[in-house]
Each structure stands twice: as structure tokens, then as C-alpha cells.
Amino acid sequence: MEHGPAMRHKTSIEIFTYWDHIRGPYDAPLRSQVEPAAVRHVLSDLFILEATPSDRPRFRLAGTKICNIFGRELREEDFSALWAGSQPDDPVKIANGVMAHAVPALINATGYSVTGRHLAFEIVLMPLRSSREGENCDRLLGSLAPAQNPAWFGAEPLEFLALDRSRILTDDQVKAGEPTRQTAPFGGQRTSKGPEWSEAFRRILPWRASAGGRIQ
């Protein structure tokens, strides 16, 4: 895996730390465990996607800052609509993979305005379950944070995002030590995903592994 911190933006780190805390020893928390008051300082940077029968995740909720970035309300819009015309399949596969395998992922992307201005973004995708009975995760908590805030940002809506790279966020990368093992009342136990699991995930998601083991 790539060395150094996986997440660099304060918003990404804060919401991931919160999600990691509320899931406890399990692979994903319930949607009802996410308390808006607990993350109100980053709420405008957050969104929730929901799974659909067509395997095209759509926005259930989107923070005001995210809607302003794209110049429109995103609720009930497909996640694929944010991405460049030739790219929607890859981000959709990543989002579906996060829910299907109950594992968080990090996306680095570049946003482009209609005039060609561009800005780097960090996107964290974290699985959620809407009920205790659900075997698979059917929700996804995400954050979208810009690398910087240039003068034009916010005044000129983004036209689309372009995927730069993506990676799995494993327990080994984000937290030292083994989690406490318990019998999970819902979903799966939280485990440290090893090489075999990572290889299986790579075959499903559009991520490329270099000779050095870096997931891009």
C-alpha cells in the first residue's frame, strides 16, 4: 500500500474518525447512529447515497456547500451525474463496492468549471446500514472537500468531476492495533482485511495495483 497519510483534508479525517467511532467493533454503523449535531461543523460537506435496484447510487441527502459547488440541489440525483461523461462507471463501481463489501474508500478527483478552472478534491466514502436486518449496506456516508479555496470557488459552479485515483481504506491504514472482537448483532464483524480480500476487491473495482502494491 501507499506510504504516508491516506487522507489529508481536515474534513475527511474528522468525518472518518467519527464514522470509525460509531461503528465500534462492526464493519459499518446503522444510519440512525449518525447524529447531525455531532458533525454539525462539517455537515454542509457531507452527503448520503442510497443503493438502487439499478445499481446506480443516488443522493438521498447532500450538504448545502456541496449543492452550491455544483450550482443545484442534488437530492435524488444519480451519483454518476457529477462525473465526466466518459467516467461515470468507475465512481459508481467504487460506491457500489463500498456498500457491497462494507469497506470505506478514498477518491481523489479534480473538479472543472464551465470556463475550465479546476480544483482538487478529496472524497471519502463510508458504508452504512439502514436497518439491523440488512445483510448488505444500502447507504453510504460521504464527504467532499476541496484541497484549497481559491477566490473563484463558490462563485463559479463546477461542471463535473474527473477521477484521478482511488484506494481502499483498511483498518491497518487508519487505526493501529486490533479491534475488540464481539459477536455482531447486525451486519458483519469488523475485521482487518488482508491481502486475499484486497485482491478480490481490486478485481471488482476499477483500481490498478502497481508493482509496488500501491492502489491507484
Tab-separated table of all heavy atoms in Angstrom, residues 119-156:
chain	number	residue	atom	x	y	z
A	119	LEU	N	-9.927	22.376	-9.704
A	119	LEU	CA	-9.594	22.321	-8.287
A	119	LEU	C	-9.605	20.870	-7.833
A	119	LEU	O	-10.489	20.098	-8.218
A	119	LEU	CB	-10.621	23.135	-7.481
A	119	LEU	CG	-10.400	23.289	-5.986
A	119	LEU	CD1	-9.095	24.036	-5.697
A	119	LEU	CD2	-11.582	24.035	-5.354
A	120	ALA	N	-8.623	20.490	-7.008
A	120	ALA	CA	-8.529	19.124	-6.489
A	120	ALA	C	-9.499	18.920	-5.325
A	120	ALA	O	-9.713	19.830	-4.511
A	120	ALA	CB	-7.100	18.832	-6.041
A	121	PHE	N	-10.057	17.711	-5.251
A	121	PHE	CA	-10.984	17.355	-4.185
A	121	PHE	C	-10.614	16.004	-3.583
A	121	PHE	O	-10.055	15.133	-4.255
A	121	PHE	CB	-12.422	17.262	-4.712
A	121	PHE	CG	-13.055	18.588	-4.990
A	121	PHE	CD1	-12.870	19.211	-6.221
A	121	PHE	CD2	-13.824	19.223	-4.029
A	121	PHE	CE1	-13.449	20.438	-6.490
A	121	PHE	CE2	-14.401	20.453	-4.286
A	121	PHE	CZ	-14.222	21.067	-5.519
A	122	GLU	N	-10.959	15.852	-2.305
A	122	GLU	CA	-10.803	14.584	-1.598
A	122	GLU	C	-12.200	14.110	-1.196
A	122	GLU	O	-12.953	14.861	-0.581
A	122	GLU	CB	-9.920	14.780	-0.367
A	122	GLU	CG	-9.501	13.504	0.324
A	122	GLU	CD	-8.438	13.756	1.382
A	122	GLU	OE1	-8.801	14.198	2.489
A	122	GLU	OE2	-7.248	13.522	1.099
A	123	ILE	N	-12.521	12.887	-1.567
A	123	ILE	CA	-13.850	12.335	-1.301
A	123	ILE	C	-13.691	11.036	-0.515
A	123	ILE	O	-12.986	10.122	-0.946
A	123	ILE	CB	-14.601	12.052	-2.612
A	123	ILE	CG1	-14.691	13.328	-3.467
A	123	ILE	CG2	-15.996	11.494	-2.325
A	123	ILE	CD1	-15.187	13.077	-4.876
A	124	VAL	N	-14.338	10.963	0.643
A	124	VAL	CA	-14.317	9.752	1.455
A	124	VAL	C	-15.694	9.113	1.401
A	124	VAL	O	-16.715	9.796	1.554
A	124	VAL	CB	-13.933	10.057	2.918
A	124	VAL	CG1	-13.895	8.771	3.742
A	124	VAL	CG2	-12.580	10.745	2.983
A	125	LEU	N	-15.751	7.813	1.163
A	125	LEU	CA	-16.995	7.055	1.084
A	125	LEU	C	-16.992	5.985	2.170
A	125	LEU	O	-16.078	5.156	2.222
A	125	LEU	CB	-17.136	6.394	-0.295
A	125	LEU	CG	-17.022	7.316	-1.518
A	125	LEU	CD1	-17.104	6.485	-2.798
A	125	LEU	CD2	-18.089	8.392	-1.502
A	126	MET	N	-18.031	5.989	3.033
A	126	MET	CA	-18.080	5.082	4.182
A	126	MET	C	-19.424	4.360	4.224
A	126	MET	O	-20.472	5.009	4.117
A	126	MET	CB	-17.873	5.886	5.475
A	126	MET	CG	-16.529	6.594	5.554
A	126	MET	SD	-16.548	8.072	6.635
A	126	MET	CE	-17.418	9.256	5.566
A	127	PRO	N	-19.455	3.035	4.368
A	127	PRO	CA	-20.705	2.271	4.316
A	127	PRO	C	-21.585	2.470	5.546
A	127	PRO	O	-21.101	2.656	6.660
A	127	PRO	CB	-20.225	0.822	4.219
A	127	PRO	CG	-18.886	0.830	4.913
A	127	PRO	CD	-18.277	2.162	4.564
A	128	LEU	N	-22.911	2.404	5.310
A	128	LEU	CA	-23.916	2.473	6.370
A	128	LEU	C	-24.971	1.407	6.116
A	128	LEU	O	-25.189	0.995	4.969
A	128	LEU	CB	-24.619	3.832	6.385
A	128	LEU	CG	-23.816	5.097	6.658
A	128	LEU	CD1	-24.710	6.319	6.436
A	128	LEU	CD2	-23.262	5.098	8.077
A	129	ARG	N	-25.655	0.989	7.183
A	129	ARG	CA	-26.827	0.120	7.056
A	129	ARG	C	-28.052	0.888	7.523
A	129	ARG	O	-27.989	1.627	8.499
A	129	ARG	CB	-26.662	-1.152	7.899
A	129	ARG	CG	-25.682	-2.150	7.322
A	129	ARG	CD	-25.685	-3.460	8.101
A	129	ARG	NE	-24.896	-4.451	7.416
A	129	ARG	CZ	-23.573	-4.583	7.517
A	129	ARG	NH1	-22.911	-3.771	8.319
A	129	ARG	NH2	-22.935	-5.500	6.837
A	130	SER	N	-29.177	0.703	6.831
A	130	SER	CA	-30.390	1.397	7.229
A	130	SER	C	-31.173	0.615	8.272
A	130	SER	O	-32.040	1.173	8.940
A	130	SER	CB	-31.284	1.666	6.014
A	130	SER	OG	-31.649	0.457	5.385
A	131	SER	N	-30.875	-0.690	8.428
A	131	SER	CA	-31.576	-1.489	9.431
A	131	SER	C	-30.671	-2.601	9.938
A	131	SER	O	-29.689	-2.972	9.288
A	131	SER	CB	-32.857	-2.091	8.856
A	131	SER	OG	-32.557	-3.112	7.923
A	132	ARG	N	-31.026	-3.135	11.091
A	132	ARG	CA	-30.257	-4.222	11.688
A	132	ARG	C	-30.427	-5.525	10.914
A	132	ARG	O	-29.592	-6.416	10.999
A	132	ARG	CB	-30.682	-4.439	13.143
A	132	ARG	CG	-30.368	-3.272	14.050
A	132	ARG	CD	-30.833	-3.528	15.471
A	132	ARG	NE	-30.585	-2.373	16.320
A	132	ARG	CZ	-29.452	-2.132	16.960
A	132	ARG	NH1	-28.464	-2.987	16.848
A	132	ARG	NH2	-29.301	-1.065	17.714
A	133	GLU	N	-31.528	-5.634	10.181
A	133	GLU	CA	-31.800	-6.872	9.450
A	133	GLU	C	-31.013	-6.951	8.145
A	133	GLU	O	-30.851	-8.010	7.567
A	133	GLU	CB	-33.300	-6.987	9.132
A	133	GLU	CG	-34.172	-7.296	10.338
A	133	GLU	CD	-34.320	-6.101	11.270
A	133	GLU	OE1	-34.301	-4.952	10.772
A	133	GLU	OE2	-34.433	-6.312	12.488
A	134	GLY	N	-30.539	-5.825	7.663
A	134	GLY	CA	-29.865	-5.820	6.374
A	134	GLY	C	-28.505	-6.494	6.406
A	134	GLY	O	-27.662	-6.157	7.228
A	135	GLU	N	-28.307	-7.447	5.542
A	135	GLU	CA	-27.014	-8.128	5.463
A	135	GLU	C	-25.995	-7.231	4.768
A	135	GLU	O	-24.856	-7.118	5.203
A	135	GLU	CB	-27.161	-9.449	4.698
A	135	GLU	CG	-25.861	-10.256	4.597
A	135	GLU	CD	-25.343	-10.725	5.944
A	135	GLU	OE1	-26.157	-10.862	6.877
A	135	GLU	OE2	-24.116	-10.956	6.055
A	136	ASN	N	-26.427	-6.589	3.681
A	136	ASN	CA	-25.542	-5.686	2.955
A	136	ASN	C	-25.840	-4.236	3.332
A	136	ASN	O	-26.951	-3.901	3.726
A	136	ASN	CB	-25.726	-5.853	1.444
A	136	ASN	CG	-25.258	-7.197	0.958
A	136	ASN	OD1	-24.294	-7.754	1.468
A	136	ASN	ND2	-25.946	-7.736	-0.038
A	137	CYS	N	-24.848	-3.400	3.202
A	137	CYS	CA	-25.041	-1.972	3.433
A	137	CYS	C	-25.814	-1.395	2.245
A	137	CYS	O	-25.535	-1.723	1.100
A	137	CYS	CB	-23.697	-1.273	3.571
A	137	CYS	SG	-22.743	-1.838	4.997
A	138	ASP	N	-26.781	-0.548	2.531
A	138	ASP	CA	-27.592	0.050	1.468
A	138	ASP	C	-27.524	1.567	1.487
A	138	ASP	O	-28.282	2.239	0.790
A	138	ASP	CB	-29.044	-0.413	1.567
A	138	ASP	CG	-29.657	-0.102	2.932
A	138	ASP	OD1	-28.934	0.389	3.815
A	138	ASP	OD2	-30.863	-0.351	3.110
A	139	ARG	N	-26.632	2.107	2.291
A	139	ARG	CA	-26.409	3.549	2.370
A	139	ARG	C	-24.905	3.804	2.389
A	139	ARG	O	-24.105	2.919	2.708
A	139	ARG	CB	-27.026	4.155	3.632
A	139	ARG	CG	-28.531	4.033	3.733
A	139	ARG	CD	-29.238	4.992	2.819
A	139	ARG	NE	-30.670	5.027	3.081
A	139	ARG	CZ	-31.555	4.169	2.587
A	139	ARG	NH1	-31.123	3.178	1.796
A	139	ARG	NH2	-32.845	4.277	2.856
A	140	LEU	N	-24.557	5.029	2.104
A	140	LEU	CA	-23.149	5.407	2.075
A	140	LEU	C	-23.040	6.853	2.579
A	140	LEU	O	-23.738	7.734	2.075
A	140	LEU	CB	-22.629	5.279	0.649
A	140	LEU	CG	-21.170	5.562	0.326
A	140	LEU	CD1	-20.775	4.834	-0.953
A	140	LEU	CD2	-20.930	7.059	0.153
A	141	LEU	N	-22.217	7.067	3.577
A	141	LEU	CA	-21.928	8.412	4.082
A	141	LEU	C	-20.666	8.910	3.403
A	141	LEU	O	-19.651	8.213	3.383
A	141	LEU	CB	-21.727	8.377	5.595
A	141	LEU	CG	-21.246	9.678	6.264
A	141	LEU	CD1	-22.290	10.779	6.120
A	141	LEU	CD2	-20.925	9.431	7.739
A	142	GLY	N	-20.743	10.095	2.825
A	142	GLY	CA	-19.582	10.619	2.118
A	142	GLY	C	-19.284	12.058	2.473
A	142	GLY	O	-20.130	12.780	3.006
A	143	SER	N	-18.059	12.466	2.207
A	143	SER	CA	-17.663	13.866	2.356
A	143	SER	C	-16.925	14.280	1.095
A	143	SER	O	-16.266	13.465	0.443
A	143	SER	CB	-16.775	14.072	3.584
A	143	SER	OG	-15.509	13.468	3.403
A	144	LEU	N	-17.070	15.559	0.749
A	144	LEU	CA	-16.389	16.114	-0.415
A	144	LEU	C	-15.733	17.409	0.029
A	144	LEU	O	-16.416	18.342	0.452
A	144	LEU	CB	-17.381	16.356	-1.550
A	144	LEU	CG	-16.799	16.803	-2.899
A	144	LEU	CD1	-17.654	16.282	-4.045
A	144	LEU	CD2	-16.712	18.332	-2.971
A	145	ALA	N	-14.397	17.447	-0.033
A	145	ALA	CA	-13.662	18.603	0.482
A	145	ALA	C	-12.628	19.073	-0.529
A	145	ALA	O	-11.867	18.267	-1.079
A	145	ALA	CB	-12.963	18.238	1.790
A	146	PRO	N	-12.578	20.386	-0.801
A	146	PRO	CA	-11.588	20.925	-1.733
A	146	PRO	C	-10.211	21.008	-1.090
A	146	PRO	O	-10.091	21.201	0.127
A	146	PRO	CB	-12.128	22.326	-2.037
A	146	PRO	CG	-12.855	22.711	-0.792
A	146	PRO	CD	-13.470	21.443	-0.274
A	147	ALA	N	-9.177	20.863	-1.907
A	147	ALA	CA	-7.814	20.949	-1.388
A	147	ALA	C	-7.474	22.368	-0.950
A	147	ALA	O	-6.634	22.578	-0.081
A	147	ALA	CB	-6.821	20.472	-2.451
A	148	GLN	N	-8.121	23.363	-1.564
A	148	GLN	CA	-7.905	24.759	-1.206
A	148	GLN	C	-9.148	25.560	-1.570
A	148	GLN	O	-10.106	25.009	-2.125
A	148	GLN	CB	-6.679	25.312	-1.928
A	148	GLN	CG	-6.691	25.112	-3.429
A	148	GLN	CD	-5.404	25.527	-4.089
A	148	GLN	OE1	-4.895	26.603	-3.802
A	148	GLN	NE2	-4.881	24.686	-4.971
A	149	ASN	N	-9.156	26.842	-1.251
A	149	ASN	CA	-10.311	27.701	-1.520
A	149	ASN	C	-9.897	28.934	-2.313
A	149	ASN	O	-9.735	30.019	-1.751
A	149	ASN	CB	-10.973	28.119	-0.203
A	149	ASN	CG	-11.703	26.986	0.477
A	149	ASN	OD1	-12.806	26.617	0.092
A	149	ASN	ND2	-11.067	26.406	1.489
A	150	PRO	N	-9.720	28.798	-3.624
A	150	PRO	CA	-9.350	29.962	-4.448
A	150	PRO	C	-10.487	30.978	-4.491
A	150	PRO	O	-11.633	30.668	-4.162
A	150	PRO	CB	-9.092	29.345	-5.819
A	150	PRO	CG	-9.899	28.088	-5.830
A	150	PRO	CD	-9.861	27.569	-4.433
A	151	ALA	N	-10.201	32.169	-4.942
A	151	ALA	CA	-11.185	33.257	-4.940
A	151	ALA	C	-12.432	32.922	-5.757
A	151	ALA	O	-13.544	33.337	-5.410
A	151	ALA	CB	-10.531	34.527	-5.472
A	152	TRP	N	-12.284	32.169	-6.847
A	152	TRP	CA	-13.425	31.881	-7.707
A	152	TRP	C	-14.318	30.771	-7.167
A	152	TRP	O	-15.470	30.620	-7.586
A	152	TRP	CB	-12.952	31.484	-9.103
A	152	TRP	CG	-12.115	30.230	-9.135
A	152	TRP	CD1	-10.765	30.146	-9.029
A	152	TRP	CD2	-12.595	28.883	-9.268
A	152	TRP	NE1	-10.348	28.837	-9.088
A	152	TRP	CE2	-11.463	28.038	-9.234
A	152	TRP	CE3	-13.859	28.313	-9.413
A	152	TRP	CZ2	-11.558	26.650	-9.334
A	152	TRP	CZ3	-13.971	26.935	-9.514
A	152	TRP	CH2	-12.815	26.118	-9.478
A	153	PHE	N	-13.803	30.000	-6.213
A	153	PHE	CA	-14.522	28.824	-5.719
A	153	PHE	C	-15.803	29.247	-4.988
A	153	PHE	O	-15.784	30.072	-4.087
A	153	PHE	CB	-13.622	28.023	-4.785
A	153	PHE	CG	-14.246	26.748	-4.292
A	153	PHE	CD1	-14.707	25.798	-5.184
A	153	PHE	CD2	-14.358	26.496	-2.934
A	153	PHE	CE1	-15.272	24.613	-4.730
A	153	PHE	CE2	-14.923	25.322	-2.477
A	153	PHE	CZ	-15.380	24.375	-3.377
A	154	GLY	N	-16.917	28.673	-5.381
A	154	GLY	CA	-18.197	29.010	-4.794
A	154	GLY	C	-18.982	29.989	-5.631
A	154	GLY	O	-20.221	30.037	-5.559
A	155	ALA	N	-18.285	30.783	-6.415
A	155	ALA	CA	-18.961	31.760	-7.280
A	155	ALA	C	-19.189	31.191	-8.676
A	155	ALA	O	-20.067	31.647	-9.413
A	155	ALA	CB	-18.137	33.042	-7.373
A	156	GLU	N	-18.383	30.203	-9.033
A	156	GLU	CA	-18.470	29.587	-10.366
A	156	GLU	C	-18.707	28.091	-10.184
A	156	GLU	O	-17.808	27.368	-9.760
A	156	GLU	CB	-17.165	29.836	-11.133
A	156	GLU	CG	-17.227	29.440	-12.585
A	156	GLU	CD	-15.965	29.873	-13.319
A	156	GLU	OE1	-15.378	30.907	-12.951
A	156	GLU	OE2	-15.585	29.165	-14.265
